[in-house]
Amino acid sequence: MADANEDPTIFTAHSLPSDPRLWATVTNAYLGTRVYHDTLHVSGVYNGAGRDTHRAVLPSPLNVQLEAPAGTGEQLTKTFTLNTNTGSFLHTLEDSSFRAAQCIYAHRTLPHVLAFSVSLSRLAAGGGPITVLLQAAFSPESPDLDLHLGPDFQGARYLYGHTLTPEQPGGAQQEVHMLWTPVPPALTLGEAEEDRTWEFLAVVGSSQAEAQACLTEALRLQAGGTLYTAHAQAWAQLWAGCGLDVAGPLALRQALRGALYYLLSALPQPGIPGYICHGLSPGGLSNGSREECYWGHVFWDQDLWMFPNVLMFHPEAARALLEYRIRTLAGALDNARNLGYQGAKFAWESAGSGLEVCPEDIYGTQEIHINGAVVLAFQLYYHSTQDLQLFQEAGGWDVVHAVAEFWCSRVEWSPGEEKYHLRGVMPPDEYHSGVNNSVYTNVLVQNSLRFAAALARDLGQPVPERWLVVADKIKVPFDLKHNFHPEFDGYEPGEEVKQADVVLLGYPVPFSLSPRVRRKNLEIYEAVTSPQGPAMTWSMFAVGWMELKDPRRAWGLLEKSFANITEPFKVWTENADRSGAVNFLTGMGGFLQAVLFGFTGLRITRTGVPFDPMCPAGVSGVCISGISYQGNMLDFSFCEDSVTIEIRDCAGPWAPPLEVELWPSQARLPLPPGHKVSFPRSAGRIQRSLPQEAEAASCSPRTFC
């Protein structure tokens, strides 16, 4: 959407950052590491008891650096490139006589496989052999695993073992089995050769049989010369199916591409069967060893900050994230019982069991707002997909019901105010603990209970009267004098807050606010939000100002997020001073939402997908491809004077025909598959067609991916 010379998809440098935490990650849905890092992690494999549980460290055979031998003579040109198109990291060495390239990747369609290749090419005629060195630092040891060397298999070395300490007493010690191609100290291009490529594999499974089967499949592709091709083609297919770009500054386009790339890297390839999700942690699968990046635990970050983006582009993966919450419901039920309440209290920090594993009691006990974020994710998924099976048969209803029961047991009636109170909580603003009636938390209580009641009706379940009574009568603090929402009872304007809190009301939390109150909330909290707060904060302020049609102020707030993006590989840090979690998917998730939902005004609701697009200062157009809504895949783009919507594909005859209703005219335009529909820029809603339009715009069976 800009000058063809400005490619926002490839990030290149001539040296690596001095801080190794900021090196590019190599991740798929099952395995994760950083380039030239001695550690890799396996999804769902934790070691340590209770609050000491953390991602188990597995030594990485991919920690191999390409070097030219001493005395090469001519000065070498070095480049380090992250190519988001192919999901690969490339290190090159080049002079006038040869080019050496090392390509590192986590295989997209074989998630148990990490690989790297080295290619040598002769650039000048004649000459003798060309040799490059491979500096490997591999030791078959781990602080978290009892590891043993086993017999080789098809030329690969074998390492196996199990975690030392299960998360819960009596729990299973998780097995890990790894096969890898031995790496020689040097590679040589013979005197008669013009070019040659060597490939090296690392394969991890939960059993010897699984590891051997995955290696066998990888070797089959390798023998046919298609191992890397299959990976790169899968990434090409993924990008063909979804995308987010703007006509605007290159830095913004690169930031969006990088954020979407890292988030997609953590998800399975659409259509790959058998994926079991173990949750998304703030630092992703490349991080989370003991004492780093929250130890790989799963927070509200997954449900509130990452999930809406995943749902829009990849509903299969969105469902898998919800299935993680369903599988850990037993732990959430125990958490509530341990605190003396009914229903389920999802852990502030969760690992394998769903029991609370936060090292500090205060957060696990008080940050109960995570329950509201979990239910909001189920709510968005339901409205977006109408996937009744998840709720009727796969446990989704059990989660929603259990959270509603928790809220009703946790509130207390105040006879003086004739309102339900929620006492002794910590809001998202972690500078304040033990407060009463966090407005953010209480609004989420309302939202959870009302969704639970609506879902119960849809499923033919009884609706407990108490749910609706609590929803209607819970206190939502409001200061009539200053016309804003105090963060909690007793909050005084001017008190510093850590991060986005009250400003989350309206978006991402559904809550009706007048423009005057929305503006006041934004103005009051913008002035007192800590500049040391986490990366996702300013994105939500930007969404608020977009709602109020103040594009200049929105851009000014969004621009603050760039302080958390590091060069050259667009790795985010939790805090602007580079502290906290790295490869901070939470911050990336907030940033993506600022464009995906903020610039467009898109919202996922029970009645459809409203939109109200506006370009912020410096941006003249937005293009989003591959939005998924109720089995339809559509593209949504707009510029300063027009909007274009096209249904690109649909899942089959069950996918409902859609139309767009324009506001305020209420004109309705059918959206027949394969046809672009354009109209002057205005607000409106994408919705199911009414019966008379349904036949004309019916959707024939198609492949949906």
Side-chain angles (χ1 to χ4, degrees), residues 269-347:
Q269 184 74 1
I272 297 292
Y275 171 63
I276 297 176
C277 175
H278 298 281
L280 294 179
S281 61
L285 196 49
S286 57
N287 298 294
S289 302
R290 198 171 191 278
E291 305 289 354
E292 80 168 13
C293 295
Y294 301 108
W295 298 7
H297 297 165
V298 180
F299 292 71
W300 72 317
D301 305 48
Q302 169 187 280
D303 310 278
L304 195 81
W305 298 102
M306 304 177 206
F307 183 85
N309 305 296
V310 176
L311 176 60
M312 290 292 266
F313 291 128
H314 198 340
E316 291 175 36
R319 175 173 167 138
L321 293 173
L322 300 183
E323 289 170 342
Y324 168 76
R325 292 302 188 187
I326 293 170
R327 286 200 316 278
T328 55
L329 177 59
L333 292 167
D334 284 346
N335 293 333
R337 274 193 294 271
N338 292 339
L339 294 172
Y341 301 109
Q342 298 173 15
K345 189 271 176 189
F346 281 91

Side-chain angles (χ1 to χ4, degrees), residues 450-529:
R450 288 172 177 163
F451 171 63
L455 181 63
R457 295 188 195 100
D458 288 354
L459 300 180
Q461 298 283 349
V463 180
E465 182 182 359
R466 183 162 163 78
W467 290 3
L468 296 176
V469 171
V470 173
D472 290 341
K473 291 188 175 293
I474 193 167
K475 181 178 181 180
V476 178
F478 187 74
D479 185 327
L480 287 168
K481 179 180 177 182
H482 296 100
N483 203 37
F484 85 113
H485 288 282
E487 189 181 287
F488 50 83
D489 284 352
Y491 175 84
E492 293 294 333
E495 290 184 55
E496 186 178 37
V497 303
K498 178 183 178 182
Q499 63 188 71
D501 187 309
V502 177
V503 300
L504 300 175
L505 303 183
Y507 185 85
V509 179
F511 186 62
S512 180
L513 293 162
S514 72
R516 288 184 62 193
V517 172
R518 182 72 154 131
R519 178 178 294 274
K520 268 291 187 182
N521 286 348
L522 290 166
E523 289 175 341
I524 285 174
Y525 292 105
E526 181 183 330
V528 297
T529 298

